[in-house]
Amino acid sequence: MSETKVDNEERDLIGADSKSVLAQADKDFAAKKYAKAKEAYQALLDKNYKPAYSNYMLGEIAYANQKYNEAIPYYKASVNLYDKGNYMPRLLYHTAISCDKIGKKEDANKFYAALKQAYPDSEEAKVAPTRK
């Protein structure tokens, strides 16, 4: 891709309507076009548009790419901004798995426990391991 094309795409994200950028980012994520989605969610963060959700989705992109160390700070930022999102069970579950993958078993156990306590009826809580 030429540098001019990238610059134009970046300018398009900056000047575009945030709601439209979010809709396209969600479509790109669903289509596993993670690089495009990441760029859009980052642009939304830069505009402070839905920062909790944008952080969550950046975490999901890192998680999907098995970059667990990268995913965790995004998940934590999302929770710190807004802990009532409908995506919270998945966020807690993926945070726990990410902690497991990088060898932080104790942290993982805390997230699994928090998930089961806060969202016991969620699909994620039903498949999460119970550990001590």
Side-chain angles (χ1 to χ4, degrees):
M1 189 182 289
S2 74
E3 196 146 339
T4 306
K5 187 170 183 177
V6 171
D7 288 344
N8 286 340
E9 284 179 15
E10 285 177 19
R11 265 190 296 255
D12 289 347
L13 286 174
I14 293 166
D17 170 60
S18 296
K19 198 172 181 179
S20 302
V21 172
L22 180 60
Q24 187 59 51
D26 286 344
K27 280 184 193 173
D28 288 338
F29 180 82
K32 297 184 179 181
K33 296 178 181 175
Y34 297 133
K36 283 184 75 172
K38 183 177 181 177
E39 189 178 331
Y41 290 122
Q42 188 58 57
L44 292 168
L45 258 187
D46 294 345
K47 293 169 142 186
N48 203 31
Y49 184 78
K50 300 203 181 252
Y53 180 74
S54 295
N55 271 296
Y56 164 68
M57 291 307 296
L58 287 165
E60 288 292 273
I61 291 166
Y63 180 89
N65 287 314
Q66 299 179 352
K67 294 181 178 178
Y68 304 109
N69 267 325
E70 210 177 283
I72 294 168
Y74 285 121
Y75 291 145
K76 285 183 178 177
S78 178
V79 169
N80 288 335
L81 289 164
Y82 183 67
D83 64 0
K84 305 284 185 237
N86 63 349
Y87 50 82
M88 247 343 105
R90 178 158 298 222
L91 181 151
L92 291 170
Y93 185 55
H94 284 175
T95 303
I97 291 171
S98 296
C99 288
D100 257 345
K101 295 285 189 180
I102 63 171
K104 294 188 174 186
K105 302 289 181 207
E106 199 172 303
D107 288 346
N109 294 346
K110 288 176 187 173
F111 282 103
Y112 286 130
L115 168 63
K116 287 177 175 284
Q117 183 179 0
Y119 304 97
D121 297 329
S122 70
E123 289 303 312
E124 292 84 358
K126 290 174 186 171
V127 298
T130 302
R131 300 181 182 161
K132 293 187 178 191

